[in-house]
Amino acid sequence: MAEIKSLKNPLAERQLTLFRAVIAGLGVVALTLVLVGRLLQLQVVDHDVYATRSDDNRMRVRIIAPARGLVYDRNGIVLAENLPTYQLEIVPEQVEDVEGTVTALAELIDIPDRDRERFYRRVDQEPGFRSIPLRTRLTPQEVATFEVNRQDFEGVEIHAALTRRYPLGRLAAHAVGYVGSLSETDVAALDPRRYRGTQRIGKVGVEAAHESLLHGDPGSKIIEANAQGRTLRDLQYQGPTAGENLFLTLDAKIQEAAVTALGQHDGAVVAVDPNNGDILALVSQPSFDPHLFVDGIDYVTYAGLNADPGRPLFNRALQGQYPPGSTVKPVMALAGLQAGVVTPRHREMCIGFFMLPDNERRYRDWKRRGHGLVDMHDAIAQSCDVYFYQLALDIGIDTIHDFLSGFGLGQALGVDLPGEKPGLLPSRDWKRATRNETWYPGETLNVGIGQGFMTTTPLQLAHMTAMVAVRGRGYRPRILAAKQLPGSEDVIEFEPTPVAPVHLNDPHYWDRIAESMEAVMHTAQGTATRSGADASYRIAGKSGTAQVTGLSQEDDEAPDLLDVPRELRDHALFVAYAPSDAPTIAVAVIAEHAGSGGRIAGPIARAVMDARLEPTP
């Protein structure tokens, strides 16, 4: 017992207890300081950060895209409008597993593969905070199904939106154009402030050319939402500014008549008002459904359009560059009169072909047995090639180039639509600069009948014809006539833009050409007499047939059209204006690989003019 008592040390025990108490106290103090420090960090130092996060949990900013401006024809017929719809959207940064969310949504709502592909493509292209559509045009049943299950999908919303609709569809697709999903290139080029919340942009036609007027400016609203994302109330609202409504020069009735008349032919029709440059109709066939692009076209469909041999996406009216054939003969005759190398009464003997001195090559006339002795009037009415071979040789290529350029050939006309091509009006300088070759007399002969190197667009031919119709005056072709500011009933009209006029030494030359073009339509010898028959108004016109491939020197007769593969058949062209004494319409038609201009293209032009000039039944 004495040994056990000797082991006890009360002093040491008290010291140990005190040490432990101090350590525990220091620990409590340290933990208290940490807690106080953390509270200071949260409540004072980082107050703004966490207050913002707290607000984000209950308040959200929603960008409101502006309503796109409407597009009307000259008579107030709607060509592009907005229809209300609902679309399913996801904000990627608010979703932990985007692919899993899409898969879960697909169990409730049908999500086609093309919609998924478009969605994932935009996820890779756009910032994570931007709401990206997954499905558009939801049915009421699909909207209700999602609303019942909304609590399971954080970062997923259904928003009301407007989708574009084109009432004329294919009939005016190349003119009006379409809107499509924003691409990465679009996003990089656009003003990010003005295009917040925007999903679509004009891609071609009027929709692209006048995007700045049609788009408008976005608005925004701050909403209060509960934990499930359901909107409780709007806290702040700034409305968007709608785009401007546009009134085009197009006439829907004439446009439809042109499409119907062109029928199954590939080609183009352009009709303009010679008095102001208004484009009344602009048709390119084959066409396409513009609605394919509105919600984002899938790869397979787009590849199919591009692979189509008819090239439906190609705007032949502005971008097709064709030999004009005999449609340029009236202007070529004016060039000869202006240059003083010929008079209206001058005659040439046509025996069916023309030969240059010391050259055995025969430059054939379309009429193999010839037209006999013809003057300028007969040469235009009957489209005698031999007469214009000699005339072109007498004028010379450089004079031809300078004179015809005054009618807008060989240059872009500056129409307010994208993609216009300039065509080609050759000259000595052009050939030397582009091919490093000299110019040959035989090439001048070909240009004299609208062949060889020379190419024009249907728009240029319509513009050329319009200038002939109004005696050398002219206006830049245009498709936008007026605009209407949002919320206003006032319509602001745009003035037509005149171009440099063509002045002749003798103004009566215009009358001579007009009489000859009328003879094309209204005399027995004219190449388009059938197209002018029974018209209630006088027409001045000119047929044309542009060779796609030439005949050999041994071919004495033109081959039967049915014996020639379609891709080698001649193009049928026609230009006309009416009424000839007070023109209000000028038309250019090309029907690819259709053969005779007078027989095929002439009736098409007549139908278009009837739509403008004949009273509606």
Side-chain angles (χ1 to χ4, degrees):
M1 291 291 294
E3 292 179 358
I4 293 176
K5 290 181 179 179
S6 64
L7 291 176
K8 291 183 178 181
N9 190 338
L11 178 61
E13 290 179 357
R14 286 196 299 272
Q15 290 176 341
L16 179 60
T17 300
L18 179 62
F19 176 76
R20 289 174 176 174
V22 170
I23 293 299
L26 290 175
V28 170
V29 171
L31 291 175
T32 301
L33 291 175
V34 170
L35 179 60
V36 171
R38 185 59 178 163
L39 288 173
L40 288 173
Q41 178 75 23
L42 294 175
Q43 297 293 331
V44 180
V45 178
D46 292 338
H47 173 269
D48 292 340
V49 173
Y50 290 101
T52 300
R53 290 187 180 182
S54 176
D55 287 339
D56 286 345
N57 287 333
R58 64 185 182 89
M59 292 186 296
R60 298 179 181 179
V61 177
R62 182 171 295 169
I63 301 300
I64 306 173
R68 195 169 180 84
L70 306 183
V71 181
Y72 301 90
D73 86 334
R74 67 189 302 114
N75 299 311
I77 296 175
V78 177
L79 302 179
E81 62 182 345
N82 302 315
L83 295 182
T85 185
Y86 289 96
Q87 58 189 32
L88 187 68
E89 300 182 4
I90 297 178
V91 181
E93 70 175 15
Q94 296 180 6
V95 178
E96 292 185 4
D97 181 3
V98 174
E99 292 188 10
T101 298
V102 172
T103 301
L105 286 168
E107 296 178 359
L108 302 176
I109 298 173
D110 179 41
I111 303 176
D113 290 340
R114 73 184 189 97
D115 289 348
R116 297 193 193 203
E117 293 172 2
R118 182 183 67 245
F119 171 77
Y120 287 125
R121 185 168 62 249
R122 293 191 61 178
V123 168
D124 294 336
Q125 295 174 347
E126 299 186 18
F129 60 80
R130 181 169 292 168
S131 183
I132 300 175
L134 175 61
R135 250 292 306 279
T136 58
R137 307 193 190 196
L138 296 175
T139 66
Q141 293 78 9
E142 289 172 329
V143 172
T145 299
F146 175 78
E147 290 295 342
V148 170
N149 297 274
R150 175 191 287 271
Q151 68 277 3
D152 299 328
F153 296 98
E154 179 70 21
V156 182
E157 293 282 350
I158 285 183
H159 291 157
L162 296 173
T163 188
R164 206 65 159 167
R165 177 176 175 270
Y166 302 99
L168 293 189
R170 296 172 177 270
L171 299 185
H174 288 98
V176 178
Y178 57 82
V179 295
S181 300
L182 285 164
S183 67
E184 188 173 357
T185 303
D186 293 330
V187 173
L190 296 172
D191 180 351
R193 293 171 298 177
R194 193 177 183 205
Y195 279 82
R196 291 179 303 162
T198 297
Q199 309 294 346
R200 302 175 183 89
I201 189 175
K203 294 292 186 178
V204 299
V206 169
E207 291 276 30
H210 301 291
E211 168 69 23
S212 61
L213 299 178
L214 289 166
H215 179 260
D217 295 301
S220 64
K221 67 178 178 179
I222 300 176
I223 64 171
E224 183 177 11
N226 61 19
Q228 285 74 40
R230 191 181 302 276
T231 299
L232 300 178
R233 58 175 175 154
D234 293 343
L235 300 178
Q236 182 179 332
Y237 179 81
Q238 179 181 350
T241 301
E244 299 174 15
N245 297 331
L246 303 185
F247 292 84
L248 305 186
T249 62
L250 285 180
D251 187 315
K253 183 182 74 170
I254 300 176
Q255 181 81 7
E256 185 172 1
V259 173
T260 301
L262 192 56
Q264 298 302 310
H265 294 293
D266 293 351
V269 178
V270 178
V272 301
D273 186 334
N275 302 290
N276 50 25
D278 286 0
I279 297 176
L280 304 173
L282 190 145
V283 174
S284 178
Q285 289 286 88
S287 187
F288 60 92
D289 182 0
H291 299 104
L292 292 172
F293 295 86
V294 173
D295 293 326
I297 191 169
D298 63 275
Y299 174 78
V300 174
T301 303
Y302 186 66
L305 288 173
N306 279 323
D308 189 325
R311 298 188 297 170
L313 300 180
F314 180 62
N315 189 342
R316 288 164 165 80
L318 301 182
Q319 299 170 324
Q321 300 178 97
Y322 307 91
S326 296
T327 61
V328 299
K329 287 178 179 176
V331 180
M332 199 67 65
L334 285 171
L337 294 172
Q338 179 71 359
V341 300
V342 69
T343 67
R345 295 177 180 236
H346 173 77
R347 294 184 175 185
E348 291 287 345
M349 175 58 71
C350 173
I351 59 174
F353 61 88
F354 180 87
M355 296 178 65
L356 290 166
D358 302 323
N359 192 315
E360 295 183 356
R361 177 176 178 178
R362 292 184 175 186
Y363 294 85
R364 299 187 182 278
D365 192 282
W366 71 268
K367 190 174 184 181
R368 297 304 177 183
R369 293 175 178 81
H371 295 85
L373 196 61
V374 295
D375 61 11
M376 181 177 289
H377 179 87
D378 298 328
I380 293 176
Q382 301 175 38
S383 198
C384 176
D385 291 333
V386 167
Y387 183 95
F388 285 94
Y389 287 144
Q390 183 63 61
L391 180 62
L393 191 64
D394 292 340
I395 300 173
I397 186 58
D398 293 322
T399 301
I400 291 173
H401 173 274
D402 294 344
F403 187 79
L404 267 60
S405 63
F407 289 83
L409 302 184
Q411 58 196 284
L413 299 173
V415 64
D416 53 335
L417 286 171
E420 182 193 4
K421 296 295 184 181
L424 175 60
L425 185 59
S427 66
R428 294 180 193 275
D429 291 340
W430 165 82
K431 191 178 182 187
R432 188 179 301 111
T434 59
R435 303 194 173 198
N436 195 28
E437 296 175 356
T438 58
W439 186 268
Y440 297 104
E443 294 167 337
T444 302
L445 304 187
N446 286 330
V447 171
I449 61 168
Q451 295 282 169
F453 297 119
M454 188 179 186
T455 60
T456 56
T457 67
L459 178 66
Q460 287 176 336
L461 290 179
H463 176 73
M464 174 196 77
T465 307
M467 291 191 70
V468 173
V470 290
R471 307 303 197 260
R473 293 182 292 112
Y475 296 87
R476 180 186 300 167
R478 64 171 187 167
I479 200 166
L480 179 61
K483 69 177 183 178
Q484 184 180 43
L485 300 178
S488 172
E489 295 184 358
D490 296 332
V491 175
I492 302 172
E493 297 184 357
F494 297 106
E495 292 296 324
T497 303
V499 298
V502 175
H503 296 292
L504 299 182
N505 297 330
D506 185 348
H508 291 98
Y509 292 157
W510 296 112
D511 299 328
R512 299 290 179 269
I513 299 303
E515 292 167 2
S516 300
M517 293 179 70
E518 286 187 52
V520 171
M521 310 296 300
H522 301 292
T523 65
Q525 292 77 28
T527 57
T529 301
R530 291 183 180 179
S531 297
D534 302 324
S536 62
Y537 51 89
R538 297 285 289 181
I539 306 170
K542 184 69 193 78
S543 60
T545 304
Q547 285 188 351
V548 176
T549 183
L551 299 174
S552 69
Q553 290 293 297
E554 288 74 26
D555 289 331
D556 291 326
E557 298 291 339
D560 189 291
L561 190 63
L562 298 177
D563 295 333
V564 179
R566 181 184 179 279
E567 65 274 11
L568 298 181
R569 297 175 188 173
D570 296 342
H571 298 320
L573 298 98
F574 201 87
V575 298
Y577 64 86
S580 56
D581 57 343
T584 60
I585 185 171
V587 185
V589 176
I590 180 165
E592 294 180 0
H593 309 296
S596 167
R599 183 171 57 86
I600 301 297
I604 297 172
R606 168 67 187 277
V608 175
M609 291 183 287
D610 281 350
R612 170 74 162 173
L613 301 173
E614 293 285 4
T616 303

